[in-house]
Amino acid sequence: MTDSIIKQCLQKDYAGNHLDGLKSLWEDATWPSSKQEIWRYAKLQWLNEPWELVTRKETQEAYNVHLKQYDLSSNETDLVCIQGKFLPNSVDEISCFSHGHLDANHVRWSDDFFNQLGWLGLSDWANIEVAEGKHLDQQLHCMLDQENKWQNIKLTINVKKNAHLRLRINTISVHAVTNLSINVQVEAGGSCQIVSWASPQSKLLMDHNVDLKDRAEFRYDALNFEAAWCHERIYMTVGSHASAYLAGLLLPSSGQSDHKAIHAHHIAPAGQSMQKFYSVANGNGLAAFHGRAIVGHEAPKTDARQLARALMLSKACEVYSRPELEIDIDDVQCQHGSSIGELDTKALFYLRSRGIDLNEAKAMLIEGFIEEIVSDLDQAVQSWIRSRITIHEIGKV
Amino acid sequence: MFSVSNLHASVDDKKILKGIEIDVKPGEVHAIMGPNGSGKSTLANLVAGKYGYTLNEGSITFNGQDISDLEPEERACLGIFLAFQYPVAISGVNNMVFLQAALNSVRKARGELPLDAMDAIAFIKERMKLVEMKSDLLQRSLNTGFSGGEKKRNEILQMLVLEPKLAILDETDSGLDIDALKTVSDGVNHMRSPNRSFIIVTHYQRLLDHIKPDFVHVLKDGKIIKSGNYELALKLEKEGYGWLDQ
Ligand SMILES: Nc1ncnc2c1ncn2[C@@H]1O[C@H](COP(=O)(O)OP(=O)(O)OP(=O)(O)O)[C@@H](O)[C@H]1O
Ligand SMILES: [Mg+2]
């Protein structure tokens, strides 16, 4: 049932306001007041059944097995949000845990299970606060290993003045739906860098709010290309002399879809924003990018750019690309580019004329295209991300 | 070893080649000259297997085999190489990775074992010296941001690496400075052997000073209207193509 709901939502409104799509479909849900809370409280019928938590120990083992499977390493300071393995028929035993061996200076961790919501889903909250002038390197693993279940994770990130945060978020939610909402605030002179990756078969609904104060720096890499589907929205305000770099790789092949809706609002002078999203769609995969940069009259000397490029490898795939600029003022630099195309036949011929066979040549071109995003990534994740991209799978027709 | 006979080809119903005859024996160097738009590159591309042309009549034979239905990579693996007039730039594809992939594809076809990365690099670097190519070009994206001359050197480097049996050079000399022309020609001469043949498309006799051809053909309006030896190139250089019409 989840699948069909989500599918309808996606079809209804691929690039824009998915929230409204969801809202209209789950009419019997009790709607909370704030917009961000909507998804987390959505009422899902299939969860309306009793549960049992299999012991914590087993789940932790599962956690390590999972990490290993994806060649991820973990250490003591990681934030871990495990939504355990549940079996029906033991409603009394319900409890959930989240744990993190945390650096107390930086992180407050709390968890809340079911709350008054009973059958609505599993929820976790985490607050990451990086104190003034401090640096923090953090990993967050969000896990739910259960078919047709739903995890809600709300992350509040507060990077204080001149503080720096590097965060890797790994969502491992095999067959389950992860609803992740991140609220980021980067104060003056601070910087925050987030890399988001999700395991194969995961299903993601993400809704992020980013608030960048003066001279704040923000970088977000959306690398959820292995997910079954990913529906991601970012709303960002860019302060004076702040800079934001949002990049992503969308590689949907058959049965997969990946959507990005981004809203970069420049609200003060001399901010910079870049949205760079590359897609490769195959089979009946669907990639959609709807990027928007809004430059108000209060934001002269803004530099806002968008670059959306897409490769379509099959007849049945769908790619939507809509970079938009809304500019109320003259003294700004704005650029947007969008290209959608097939593999360049001249380039293919060139490679083949050197003896490289058709499939290999295609793979090289796809890899070259993707490399424009990958080679820009933080060194720490580059080679790992490369290992997650199986070009020959992507290029299979 | 290579022959084109009665070759007629068109693009979108526009006839471009109208009965080409060429016969190249092992070790020979043939030059093809001719006015702009006469069909020289079309012929070269057709031999290399580029799509988009309709072969209306005639045949292309290589070592006794009709190759006109083969895929481009199959032709390359048989030992046919075309140095392009306008090499394509492919961003994101590393030049070194490309050269290695090409080398190992061709080696495989020749029944040789693939070279591992270390050996391949050594092999390629050795040949780079012959064309005096700057080594940083190996680490860049294929032809991306290369100067005109650098692209042409890169073509010749590929030829040196792949060691084809038939090399077609389409205006490799244009865009090269005087010294580079000499270097590149030396690279080509280094490759000359009794069982390797060349077809050199050029507008200028200067290249032919360095690489002495056995035959010179004039291609005009899709046909070879005159064949001769090196003397013909000299005469064309002096008098142009006009006298051929009389
Ligand atoms: N794909 C194509 N579509 C349309 N016309 C083409 C195409 N390819 C070649 N032609 C035409 O065929 C003719 C021969 O072109 P070709 O490139 O073979 O000439 P060339 O002899 O190599 O000229 P140059 O000396 O300028 O390089 C030209 O008139 C050209 O415009
Ligand atoms: Mg030409």
Side-chain angles (χ1 to χ4, degrees):
Chain A
M1 175 174 169
T2 4
D3 268 359
S4 74
I5 289 181
I6 301 298
K7 213 167 178 180
Q8 285 178 57
C9 295
L10 299 188
Q11 278 166 356
K12 219 172 181 174
D13 189 358
Y14 64 85
N17 197 343
H18 39 60
L19 229 86
D20 290 340
L22 288 175
K23 205 168 168 178
S24 61
L25 278 154
W26 290 327
E27 271 158 12
D28 55 345
T30 315
W31 299 107
S33 49
S34 110
K35 234 182 171 186
Q36 278 83 49
E37 306 287 283
I38 291 176
W39 290 354
R40 309 200 304 103
Y41 290 78
K43 182 174 174 179
L44 297 171
Q45 293 303 325
W46 43 260
L47 278 169
N48 200 356
E49 58 185 57
W51 308 74
E52 177 194 348
L53 176 66
V54 177
T55 66
R56 177 178 173 135
K57 194 164 151 271
E58 274 182 24
T59 320
Q60 270 178 316
E61 272 162 20
Y63 157 63
N64 287 325
V65 168
H66 270 311
L67 285 183
K68 238 188 218 145
Q69 183 185 343
Y70 303 112
D71 212 6
L72 284 167
S73 60
S74 179
N75 65 42
E76 288 285 288
T77 57
D78 285 350
L79 284 170
V80 182
C81 163
I82 302 179
Q83 313 285 9
K85 197 163 189 174
F86 295 89
L87 298 174
N89 299 325
S90 178
V91 74
D92 293 334
E93 295 291 322
I94 294 174
S95 73
C96 175
F97 67 91
S98 308
H99 75 118
H101 308 277
L102 304 174
D103 181 341
N105 289 333
H106 300 301
V107 185
R108 265 190 346 269
W109 179 259
S110 67
D111 74 65
D112 187 326
F113 176 64
F114 282 101
N115 212 346
Q116 73 277 35
L117 303 164
W119 27 261
L120 296 190
L122 308 166
S123 301
D124 273 305
W125 280 257
N127 297 314
I128 300 179
E129 192 179 292
V130 191
E132 200 171 322
K134 296 267 185 204
H135 288 245
L136 177 65
D137 236 310
Q138 186 75 58
Q139 279 205 85
L140 167 67
H141 304 291
C142 309
M143 303 204 183
L144 175 55
D145 174 20
Q146 186 80 342
E147 200 144 346
N148 290 335
K149 296 295 181 280
W150 181 272
Q151 63 175 339
N152 298 302
I153 296 157
K154 184 172 178 177
L155 191 59
T156 309
I157 295 173
N158 194 342
V159 181
K160 298 287 189 194
K161 278 186 187 157
N162 304 316
H164 305 282
L165 171 67
R166 253 175 28 161
L167 178 67
R168 273 177 74 177
I169 301 174
N170 302 311
T171 304
I172 298 172
S173 56
V174 183
H175 304 294
V177 178
T178 295
N179 171 15
L180 175 66
S181 155
I182 312 178
N183 273 299
V184 184
Q185 195 183 75
V186 187
E187 293 186 9
S191 75
C192 175
Q193 185 186 330
I194 298 175
V195 176
S196 168
W197 172 83
S199 68
Q201 277 114 39
S202 51
K203 300 168 183 175
L204 302 169
L205 284 172
M206 307 214 268
D207 190 3
H208 311 317
N209 280 281
V210 180
D211 181 16
L212 305 179
K213 304 295 188 203
D214 298 0
R215 291 174 293 107
E217 284 175 20
F218 180 66
R219 174 167 180 144
Y220 182 72
D221 293 292
L223 304 169
N224 303 307
F225 50 80
E226 292 184 73
W229 49 258
C230 173
H231 205 42
E232 183 162 17
R233 198 178 70 152
I234 300 172
Y235 181 88
M236 177 170 72
T237 51
V238 184
S240 153
H241 294 88
S243 78
Y245 189 96
L246 309 176
L249 204 49
L250 297 77
L251 309 173
S253 59
S254 276
Q256 285 177 292
S257 62
D258 202 337
H259 306 235
K260 308 287 172 223
I262 292 162
H263 204 100
H265 197 160
H266 288 262
I267 54 165
Q272 291 177 13
S273 68
M274 173 65 173
Q275 302 173 27
K276 187 176 176 184
F277 288 80
Y278 277 44
S279 308
V280 181
N282 201 356
N284 66 1
L286 186 156
F289 168 77
H290 186 181
R292 220 168 205 215
I294 298 167
V295 185
H297 55 85
E298 69 281 20
K301 305 234 181 309
T302 288
D303 185 340
R305 292 161 200 245
Q306 294 164 307
L307 180 61
R309 295 185 60 202
L311 273 182
M312 298 179 82
L313 301 180
S314 65
K315 286 215 162 62
C317 70
E318 288 177 70
V319 173
Y320 301 90
S321 180
R322 231 164 91 190
E324 287 177 354
L325 289 169
E326 240 179 78
I327 306 165
D328 286 346
I329 183 173
D330 288 335
D331 184 18
V332 293
Q333 264 206 30
C334 290
Q335 273 180 14
H336 63 175
S338 173
S339 73
I340 301 180
E342 294 169 19
L343 286 174
D344 180 1
T345 50
K346 283 192 183 130
L348 266 181
F349 172 58
Y350 189 85
L351 297 177
R352 296 176 75 188
S353 76
R354 299 310 184 232
I356 298 167
D357 76 42
L358 179 61
N359 286 333
E360 180 81 19
K362 280 184 179 173
M364 284 175 87
L365 292 185
I366 296 166
E367 202 172 347
F369 180 81
I370 288 172
E371 204 44 34
E372 297 198 18
I373 292 288
V374 176
S375 60
D376 252 10
L377 293 173
D378 192 304
Q379 287 296 332
V381 288
Q382 252 189 48
S383 57
W384 181 76
I385 282 296
R386 275 197 196 95
S387 76
R388 299 303 313 170
I389 301 173
T390 39
I391 298 289
H392 287 278
E393 286 301 313
I394 295 164
K396 223 178 243 170
V397 187
Chain B
M1 65 142 16
F2 173 75
S3 73
V4 166
S5 95
N6 191 31
L7 191 70
H8 290 255
S10 55
V11 175
D12 306 330
D13 293 336
K14 181 183 166 195
K15 287 187 179 147
I16 297 172
L17 301 183
K18 303 166 182 172
I20 304 263
E21 302 275 350
I22 295 179
D23 189 43
V24 180
K25 300 209 163 50
E28 286 179 355
V29 175
H30 289 238
I32 298 180
M33 303 180 80
N36 293 131
S38 55
K40 303 181 297 298
S41 296
T42 304
L43 173 64
N45 284 323
L46 211 59
V47 173
K50 190 173 178 175
Y51 293 162
Y53 302 101
T54 315
L55 216 158
N56 303 316
E57 237 187 293
S59 66
I60 307 171
T61 338
F62 185 69
N63 284 335
Q65 181 185 2
D66 187 336
I67 59 163
S68 48
D69 283 336
L70 296 186
E71 298 295 344
E73 60 268 35
E74 293 173 313
R75 303 183 196 204
C77 287
L78 287 177
I80 295 173
F81 177 91
L82 167 59
F84 289 93
Q85 182 175 4
Y86 304 110
V88 217
I90 309 180
S91 77
V93 173
N94 177 282
N95 200 15
M96 184 70 212
V97 171
F98 156 72
L99 280 164
Q100 225 174 301
L103 173 60
N104 281 333
S105 303
V106 168
R107 283 180 68 91
K108 190 174 168 196
R110 290 196 296 239
E112 297 163 5
L113 288 173
L115 293 185
D116 66 22
M118 295 288 277
D119 288 347
I121 290 171
F123 184 88
I124 290 162
K125 289 221 157 136
E126 193 61 36
R127 272 132 196 94
M128 268 179 94
K129 284 190 207 136
L130 290 173
V131 283
E132 293 173 11
M133 206 168 118
K134 279 181 277 161
S135 61
D136 70 300
L137 293 179
L138 271 189
Q139 288 319 321
R140 301 236 310 252
S141 281
L142 177 52
N143 292 333
T144 307
F146 284 27
S147 77
E150 286 168 345
K151 282 185 191 167
K152 294 300 173 80
R153 279 179 209 238
N154 203 27
E155 293 294 293
I156 296 304
L157 172 65
Q158 291 166 39
M159 180 189 80
L160 294 171
V161 166
L162 300 180
E163 302 176 319
K165 296 197 182 86
L166 171 70
I168 306 169
L169 312 185
D170 191 358
E171 295 196 28
T172 299
D173 50 341
S174 51
L176 288 179
D177 67 45
I178 299 162
D179 293 338
L181 185 68
K182 171 100 178 46
T183 314
V184 163
S185 308
D186 290 348
V188 173
N189 285 328
H190 176 87
M191 291 273 290
R192 283 182 75 164
S193 85
N195 45 26
R196 181 171 289 132
S197 313
F198 292 85
I199 296 176
I200 296 177
V201 175
T202 182
H203 287 294
Y204 308 106
Q205 152 261 334
R206 188 192 292 270
L207 177 70
L208 304 180
D209 283 346
H210 294 293
I211 312 167
K212 283 270 155 29
D214 301 299
F215 300 93
V216 174
H217 309 281
V218 179
L219 183 64
K220 199 176 172 194
D221 193 21
K223 273 185 287 215
I224 289 183
I225 54 164
K226 178 113 188 141
S227 293
N229 56 17
Y230 176 64
E231 301 297 318
L232 177 58
L234 290 176
K235 189 171 163 74
L236 291 170
E237 178 82 18
K238 270 201 208 102
E239 301 178 24
Y241 297 107
W243 62 276
L244 287 164
D245 294 334
Q246 281 132 40

